[in-house]
Amino acid sequence: MTRHARTESLFQTRSKPLGWTGKTAALLCLMATFAAPLRAAPLPADDPLARQFAYCAGRLSAEAQHHEDRELYALKEAMQELLAALMSPGSEPAYEELRIAGHVAQSDLLAVSRFSFDPREADRAKSLAAENMRQCRGMLLGG
Protein backbone atom coordinates (compact mmCIF):
# COMPACT_ATOMS: atom_id res chain seq x y z
CA MET A 1 0.00 0.00 0.00
CA THR A 2 1.39 3.33 -0.94
CA ARG A 3 1.84 6.16 1.44
CA HIS A 4 -0.92 8.16 -0.25
CA ALA A 5 -3.35 5.27 0.04
CA ARG A 6 -2.64 4.81 3.78
CA THR A 7 -3.17 8.50 4.51
CA GLU A 8 -6.35 8.54 2.51
CA SER A 9 -7.71 5.54 4.36
CA LEU A 10 -7.06 7.22 7.72
CA PHE A 11 -9.27 10.16 6.80
CA GLN A 12 -12.08 8.07 5.44
CA THR A 13 -14.64 7.60 8.14
CA ARG A 14 -17.63 5.46 7.85
CA SER A 15 -20.42 5.96 10.28
CA LYS A 16 -21.26 2.74 11.98
CA PRO A 17 -24.85 2.15 12.97
CA LEU A 18 -25.49 2.71 16.67
CA GLY A 19 -26.27 -0.32 18.74
CA TRP A 20 -29.07 -0.34 21.28
CA THR A 21 -26.75 1.06 23.99
CA GLY A 22 -25.71 3.96 21.76
CA LYS A 23 -29.30 4.68 20.82
CA THR A 24 -30.36 4.54 24.47
CA ALA A 25 -27.57 6.88 25.54
CA ALA A 26 -28.41 9.34 22.76
CA LEU A 27 -32.10 9.24 23.71
CA LEU A 28 -31.33 9.84 27.40
CA CYS A 29 -29.10 12.81 26.56
CA LEU A 30 -31.82 14.28 24.37
CA MET A 31 -34.48 13.75 27.03
CA ALA A 32 -32.28 15.32 29.72
CA THR A 33 -31.79 18.38 27.56
CA PHE A 34 -35.49 19.00 27.02
CA ALA A 35 -36.78 17.73 30.34
CA ALA A 36 -34.94 20.28 32.46
CA PRO A 37 -37.27 21.58 35.14
CA LEU A 38 -39.06 24.72 34.11
CA ARG A 39 -39.23 27.25 36.92
CA ALA A 40 -41.70 30.03 37.05
CA ALA A 41 -40.31 33.47 37.61
CA PRO A 42 -40.68 34.57 41.23
CA LEU A 43 -43.49 36.93 41.95
CA PRO A 44 -42.49 40.56 42.40
CA ALA A 45 -42.41 42.23 45.80
CA ASP A 46 -45.40 44.43 45.05
CA ASP A 47 -46.96 45.01 48.50
CA PRO A 48 -45.65 48.40 49.74
CA LEU A 49 -46.01 47.54 53.42
CA ALA A 50 -44.30 44.17 52.98
CA ARG A 51 -41.50 45.92 51.07
CA GLN A 52 -40.96 48.24 54.04
CA PHE A 53 -41.01 45.30 56.46
CA ALA A 54 -38.43 43.45 54.36
CA TYR A 55 -36.14 46.45 54.14
CA CYS A 56 -36.47 47.15 57.88
CA ALA A 57 -35.82 43.50 58.73
CA GLY A 58 -32.52 43.87 56.89
CA ARG A 59 -31.70 47.16 58.60
CA LEU A 60 -32.48 45.69 62.02
CA SER A 61 -30.33 42.68 61.19
CA ALA A 62 -27.38 44.93 60.38
CA GLU A 63 -27.83 46.99 63.55
CA ALA A 64 -28.20 43.88 65.71
CA GLN A 65 -25.06 42.42 64.18
CA HIS A 66 -23.12 45.68 64.56
CA HIS A 67 -24.09 46.26 68.20
CA GLU A 68 -24.53 42.59 69.20
CA ASP A 69 -27.85 43.57 70.77
CA ARG A 70 -30.43 40.89 71.68
CA GLU A 71 -33.27 43.40 71.71
CA LEU A 72 -32.52 44.31 68.12
CA TYR A 73 -32.41 40.63 67.16
CA ALA A 74 -35.85 40.21 68.74
CA LEU A 75 -37.17 43.22 66.80
CA LYS A 76 -35.71 41.78 63.59
CA GLU A 77 -37.50 38.48 64.25
CA ALA A 78 -40.77 40.31 64.89
CA MET A 79 -40.34 42.25 61.65
CA GLN A 80 -39.70 39.03 59.73
CA GLU A 81 -42.85 37.48 61.21
CA LEU A 82 -44.90 40.45 60.04
CA LEU A 83 -43.28 40.17 56.64
CA ALA A 84 -44.07 36.46 56.43
CA ALA A 85 -47.73 37.20 57.19
CA LEU A 86 -47.94 39.66 54.29
CA MET A 87 -45.93 37.82 51.61
CA SER A 88 -47.78 36.00 48.90
CA PRO A 89 -46.60 32.46 48.12
CA GLY A 90 -43.85 32.49 45.53
CA SER A 91 -42.69 36.02 46.28
CA GLU A 92 -40.15 35.05 48.96
CA PRO A 93 -37.06 35.56 46.73
CA ALA A 94 -38.04 39.12 45.87
CA TYR A 95 -38.55 40.05 49.52
CA GLU A 96 -35.32 38.30 50.48
CA GLU A 97 -33.50 40.54 48.01
CA LEU A 98 -35.05 43.59 49.68
CA ARG A 99 -34.07 42.33 53.11
CA ILE A 100 -30.48 41.87 51.97
CA ALA A 101 -30.50 45.34 50.38
CA GLY A 102 -31.67 46.84 53.68
CA HIS A 103 -28.93 45.00 55.55
CA VAL A 104 -26.25 46.18 53.13
CA ALA A 105 -27.49 49.79 53.14
CA GLN A 106 -27.52 49.98 56.94
CA SER A 107 -24.14 48.25 57.20
CA ASP A 108 -22.70 50.81 54.80
CA LEU A 109 -24.02 53.68 56.91
CA LEU A 110 -22.62 52.12 60.07
CA ALA A 111 -19.22 51.61 58.43
CA VAL A 112 -19.08 55.20 57.18
CA SER A 113 -20.13 56.54 60.58
CA ARG A 114 -17.36 54.58 62.22
CA PHE A 115 -14.49 54.71 59.74
CA SER A 116 -14.88 57.88 57.67
CA PHE A 117 -12.00 60.34 57.82
CA ASP A 118 -14.47 63.17 57.20
CA PRO A 119 -16.24 64.00 60.50
CA ARG A 120 -19.21 65.63 58.73
CA GLU A 121 -19.73 62.57 56.55
CA ALA A 122 -19.48 60.31 59.60
CA ASP A 123 -22.05 62.42 61.49
CA ARG A 124 -24.44 62.40 58.51
CA ALA A 125 -24.17 58.62 58.20
CA LYS A 126 -24.69 58.18 61.95
CA SER A 127 -27.80 60.38 62.01
CA LEU A 128 -29.24 58.72 58.90
CA ALA A 129 -28.69 55.26 60.40
CA ALA A 130 -30.40 56.41 63.62
CA GLU A 131 -33.33 57.87 61.65
CA ASN A 132 -33.72 54.58 59.77
CA MET A 133 -33.86 52.73 63.08
CA ARG A 134 -36.47 55.16 64.47
CA GLN A 135 -38.66 54.51 61.42
CA CYS A 136 -38.28 50.74 61.68
CA ARG A 137 -38.94 50.70 65.44
CA GLY A 138 -41.96 52.92 64.83
CA MET A 139 -43.40 50.37 62.42
CA LEU A 140 -43.16 47.69 65.08
CA LEU A 141 -43.91 49.61 68.23
CA GLY A 142 -46.45 52.01 66.81
CA GLY A 143 -44.57 55.22 67.22
Side-chain angles (χ1 to χ4, degrees):
M1 187 187 292
T2 67
R3 184 176 181 162
H4 178 69
R6 276 186 276 169
T7 308
E8 193 172 300
S9 69
L10 288 174
F11 290 108
Q12 290 176 348
T13 57
R14 294 184 187 175
S15 60
K16 297 180 182 177
L18 292 176
W20 68 272
T21 55
K23 289 178 183 176
T24 304
L27 182 62
L28 288 175
C29 287
L30 186 64
M31 287 173 47
T33 302
F34 291 110
L38 298 175
R39 294 185 184 145
L43 295 175
D46 55 359
D47 184 337
L49 185 59
R51 289 176 65 86
Q52 289 178 341
F53 284 159
Y55 212 71
C56 274
R59 288 190 180 281
L60 286 164
S61 173
E63 284 282 340
Q65 184 178 11
H66 180 76
H67 298 294
E68 297 180 6
D69 187 337
R70 289 181 187 223
E71 178 192 345
L72 290 171
Y73 279 116
L75 290 176
K76 176 196 75 148
E77 292 296 322
M79 190 68 75
Q80 286 180 318
E81 288 177 16
L82 290 171
L83 173 62
L86 290 174
M87 282 191 305
S88 58
S91 64
E92 293 89 359
Y95 287 107
E96 182 65 13
E97 286 180 19
L98 287 173
R99 190 193 64 74
I100 291 169
H103 184 100
V104 169
Q106 193 72 11
S107 293
D108 286 348
L109 287 174
L110 293 170
V112 169
S113 71
R114 186 171 178 192
F115 298 113
S116 178
F117 292 117
D118 181 358
R120 289 182 306 181
E121 183 182 41
D123 288 343
R124 257 192 324 263
K126 186 175 184 176
S127 62
L128 186 55
E131 177 60 27
N132 290 338
M133 284 299 95
R134 277 191 292 281
Q135 288 176 2
C136 290
R137 284 176 185 263
M139 290 178 70
L140 280 173
L141 305 175

